[in-house]
Amino acid sequence: MSFNNLKLIDPIRKAIAEKGYETPTKIQAQAIPKVLTRKDVLGIAQTGTGKTAAFSIPIIQLIHRIDGAGGKKPLRALILTPTRELAIQIDENIRDYNKYTKLRHAVIFGGVKQGKQVAALKQGVQILVATPGRLLDLIGQGYISLDDLKIFVLDEADRMLDMGFIHDIKKLTKLLPKKRQTLFFSATMPDHIIELSSDLLYQPVRVEVARKSSTAEAIKQYVYYTDKKKKVDLLHHILENEIGEEQTLIFGRTKHGADKLARKLRKLNYKVGAIHGNKSQNQRQKTLKGFKAKKIKLLVATDIAARGIDIEKLRYVINYDVPNVPETYVHRIGRSGRAGEDGIAISISEPEENAYVKAIEKLIKNSIEVAEHPFPQTTKPMTEKEKKEWNKEKQRRKQEFFKARREAKARQEGRGSKR
Ligand code: AMP
C-alpha cells in the first residue's frame, strides 16, 4: 500500500512526501478512504499508530473540496483532545499536511491567556483543535460558532473520560449540528466508551489496530531490582553504559519526586528538563521544545504531564518508579517504539514493589525480563518493622492515587458549574 492508492490530492501528497512518510500506517490505510467517503469512523488505536494523520489528512482534503482556501470561512472541523500538549501536536501535524492546501486552522487550550487564541478565531478558522474547558469557555463567550460544522473528531476518548471530561463532552455534543460526520478514537473500549460512541456515531466503520498488549510486546522490556538508596546510582549506570547519547524519557510517580530526580541528574551534569503539574503551561512548552530540539537529553515527567506528548524517534523510556496502576505502565512505555521503530523500556523496582511488577505482567500477558544488577546487592529479607512500614506506604500510595482521581473529577465538575 502506498499513499498513491489513497486518492489524495496533489498538494496533500506533496506535503506528506516532505514529511518523509513513505507508506501509510495500518490505521491510515484503513481510515483515510472511509473518512473521504464521509463515513463515521470508530477508530480503536493508541498514540504512536499514526492516528493523527489518519484523521487530519482526509479532513484537510474534504474541507479543501468544500470551501477551498483564502477568505473568511466558517468552522468546518473540530478536533477535541484531552491535553494541551496533544492539542498542540495535532495542530502542528495539521500545519505540515496543510502546507500547500493552506486552510485556516488554530489550536485553543486552557492555562494561558485567551487573547491570542481569540485573535486567531476572529480571523476565521476552518479547522480547530481544542481541549474541552477552553473550547466551552470560548463558545460561551460567543467567539466560536458550530453552525456550519461538518466534521467532529473526539480523540483519545478513554483518556478524556479518565480525566473527568464527561460533562464537558456531553455539553459540547448538544451544541453540535445533528447532521455531521463524527470520527471517534480511543485506545480502549470499556463499556462506558462503547456507550458514548454509540450516542455520537451513526453507522460507523470500525477500524482497529494493535491492541495495547501487542504494542507492549513490540517493546523490549526489562526490570532492575534495587534498594531505594541505590536507585540514582543505578540510573546513572544505565544512562552511561546502556543508553549513551540517546535522549531518554524518565517517568517519576510524583511531582516532588520528579523534581528531586531532575535536580540529582543535573548534579551529575546531564541536561535535564522536568514536566509535571506544578510547571506552568509556558514552562512545559519550553521544556518540550528544548527536548525536541535536542538541547535537553533527559526529560523527567509525571504521568499526567506526559499524556499525549509526541517525541519522534524516542528509543528509551525509563520507569524510575514502577507505577502502582498497571495501565499506567502501558501508557508510559507506549512513548517508545513509535510508528514501527523498536523501543526499549527499562524499569527500576524496589524489591518490595515486586507485586506491582507482577500486576503489570498480568495485564500485558508477558513476563518482564529481570536484568542483572551491575552492583553487589544489599537486599535482605524485610524485618517485621520494615514490612509494617511498607504496608503503610502502600496504603498511602493507594490513597494518593484515589485522591488525585477525585480531585481531577472535582476540578472538571467545578469548572462546569461556573459556566
Ligand atoms: P500519532 O499516532 O498520530 O501520534 O503518530 C505517531 C508518529 O508517527 C508521529 O511522530 C508521526 O509523525 C509519525 N507518522 C505518522 N504517520 C506516519 C507514516 N505514514 N510514516 C512514518 N511516520 C508516520
Side-chain angles (χ1 to χ4, degrees):
M1 169 65 99
S2 116
F3 278 106
N4 293 337
N5 304 115
L6 292 177
K7 300 202 174 110
L8 297 172
I9 53 176
D10 285 346
I12 296 181
R13 286 230 300 265
K14 191 169 162 199
I16 294 173
E18 281 181 21
K19 279 286 275 183
Y21 301 171
E22 285 167 6
T23 45
T25 65
K26 203 169 156 204
I27 188 132
Q28 290 162 6
Q30 290 182 22
I32 292 174
K34 301 294 177 200
V35 181
L36 286 176
T37 52
R38 314 295 293 260
K39 290 253 188 298
D40 278 8
V41 171
L42 171 63
I44 305 166
Q46 59 184 156
T47 308
T49 52
K51 72 177 159 69
T52 312
F55 61 77
S56 305
I57 289 172
I59 285 177
I60 293 170
Q61 177 145 327
L62 285 175
I63 297 172
H64 187 264
R65 197 194 291 160
I66 297 171
D67 281 335
K72 198 166 172 181
K73 300 279 161 56
L75 179 62
R76 295 296 195 187
L78 171 66
I79 299 161
L80 194 67
T81 192
T83 69
R84 305 149 184 187
E85 280 82 7
L86 205 46
I88 291 168
Q89 273 152 22
I90 294 172
D91 188 60
E92 283 172 357
N93 273 281
I94 291 173
R95 182 197 59 204
D96 293 345
Y97 309 136
N98 181 44
K99 187 168 172 193
Y100 300 105
T101 33
K102 297 189 169 30
L103 304 177
R104 288 183 184 274
H105 62 102
V107 57
I108 60 172
F109 46 82
V112 292
K113 289 196 180 124
Q114 67 176 44
K116 275 191 192 156
Q117 298 176 0
V118 169
L121 290 167
K122 282 183 176 163
Q123 302 262 310
V125 165
Q126 292 164 282
I127 305 176
L128 182 65
V129 186
T131 55
R134 179 56 56 94
L135 176 69
L136 285 168
D137 277 348
L138 295 183
I139 292 175
Q141 292 176 49
Y143 291 116
I144 298 167
S145 159
L146 302 173
D147 295 350
D148 297 301
L149 196 82
K150 298 277 184 202
I151 309 169
F152 172 59
V153 182
L154 187 66
D155 185 36
E156 309 246 337
D158 50 354
R159 285 194 190 172
M160 204 91 94
L161 264 50
D162 283 350
M163 292 170 78
F165 283 129
I166 186 68
H167 296 298
D168 284 353
I169 294 174
K170 293 229 154 118
K171 251 187 230 167
L172 176 75
T173 51
K174 282 197 194 114
L175 304 174
L176 297 172
K178 289 238 159 23
K179 195 165 172 287
R180 58 160 201 268
Q181 184 179 10
T182 303
L183 315 175
F184 186 106
F185 289 87
S186 189
T188 55
M189 286 302 285
D191 288 349
H192 56 294
I193 302 285
I194 296 176
E195 204 183 303
L196 178 68
S197 71
S198 61
D199 283 350
L200 294 179
L201 295 163
Y202 174 72
Q203 298 185 342
V205 179
R206 188 182 163 110
V207 176
E208 183 167 0
V209 298
R211 301 307 317 261
K212 277 182 171 181
S213 54
S214 54
T215 306
E217 275 157 26
I219 297 167
K220 186 166 157 36
Q221 303 161 60
Y222 49 99
V223 55
Y224 282 101
Y225 284 98
T226 192
D227 294 340
K228 191 172 188 153
K229 283 189 189 130
K230 292 204 166 170
K231 281 171 80 170
V232 174
D233 286 345
L234 175 61
L235 177 61
H236 191 200
H237 175 91
I238 295 168
L239 290 170
E240 289 304 307
N241 296 287
E242 294 184 36
I243 296 181
E245 296 297 306
E246 294 258 1
Q247 283 187 298
T248 303
L249 179 58
I250 304 174
F251 281 99
R253 211 167 31 80
T254 63
K255 298 172 209 171
H256 178 67
D259 259 344
K260 207 161 132 191
L261 178 61
R263 278 199 302 275
K264 285 182 183 165
L265 289 169
R266 269 185 212 114
K267 275 199 188 137
L268 292 166
N269 280 330
Y270 290 109
K271 296 231 175 336
V272 186
I275 53 169
H276 54 67
N278 282 357
K279 301 269 182 194
S280 72
Q281 177 59 12
N282 282 343
Q283 282 173 320
R284 285 205 238 172
Q285 261 169 262
K286 208 172 138 203
T287 305
L288 210 53
K289 212 167 153 191
F291 192 70
K292 283 187 178 176
K294 305 219 158 46
K295 287 184 188 141
I296 290 171
K297 175 180 158 61
L298 306 176
L299 185 61
V300 182
T302 55
D303 295 300
I304 293 280
R307 279 188 177 171
I309 60 171
D310 174 24
I311 305 146
E312 289 191 46
K313 296 204 173 66
L314 184 69
R315 189 132 192 257
Y316 288 94
V317 165
I318 296 185
N319 293 311
Y320 186 71
D321 295 305
V322 180
N324 48 359
V325 180
E327 284 78 8
T328 302
Y329 176 85
V330 180
H331 282 307
R332 287 182 179 186
I333 70 166
R335 304 274 134 231
S336 74
R338 311 169 71 85
E341 293 163 27
D342 55 335
I344 299 174
I346 305 172
S347 301
I348 300 179
S349 171
E350 293 167 38
E352 298 81 1
E353 292 170 327
N354 182 258
Y356 297 153
V357 177
K358 292 280 169 263
I360 291 164
E361 289 180 326
K362 203 169 151 204
L363 177 76
I364 63 171
K365 299 194 181 77
N366 230 328
S367 58
I368 301 174
E369 191 185 324
V370 179
E372 204 170 309
H373 204 284
F375 330 114
Q377 279 298 279
T378 55
T379 312
K380 297 189 288 287
M382 279 194 274
T383 62
E384 281 310 309
K385 189 171 165 236
E386 282 167 339
K387 260 190 216 161
K388 257 193 200 149
E389 274 169 12
W390 170 238
N391 280 334
K392 246 198 231 159
E393 168 65 13
K394 269 202 300 199
Q395 210 50 37
R396 193 188 65 75
R397 289 186 187 188
K398 221 191 227 169
Q399 279 165 2
E400 182 185 87
F401 169 73
F402 286 117
K403 187 168 161 243
R405 209 159 67 170
R406 272 199 309 275
E407 281 173 359
K409 277 201 179 131
R411 264 200 306 279
Q412 294 314 322
E413 282 163 10
R415 209 186 28 204
S417 64
K418 261 187 252 148
R419 266 191 302 273

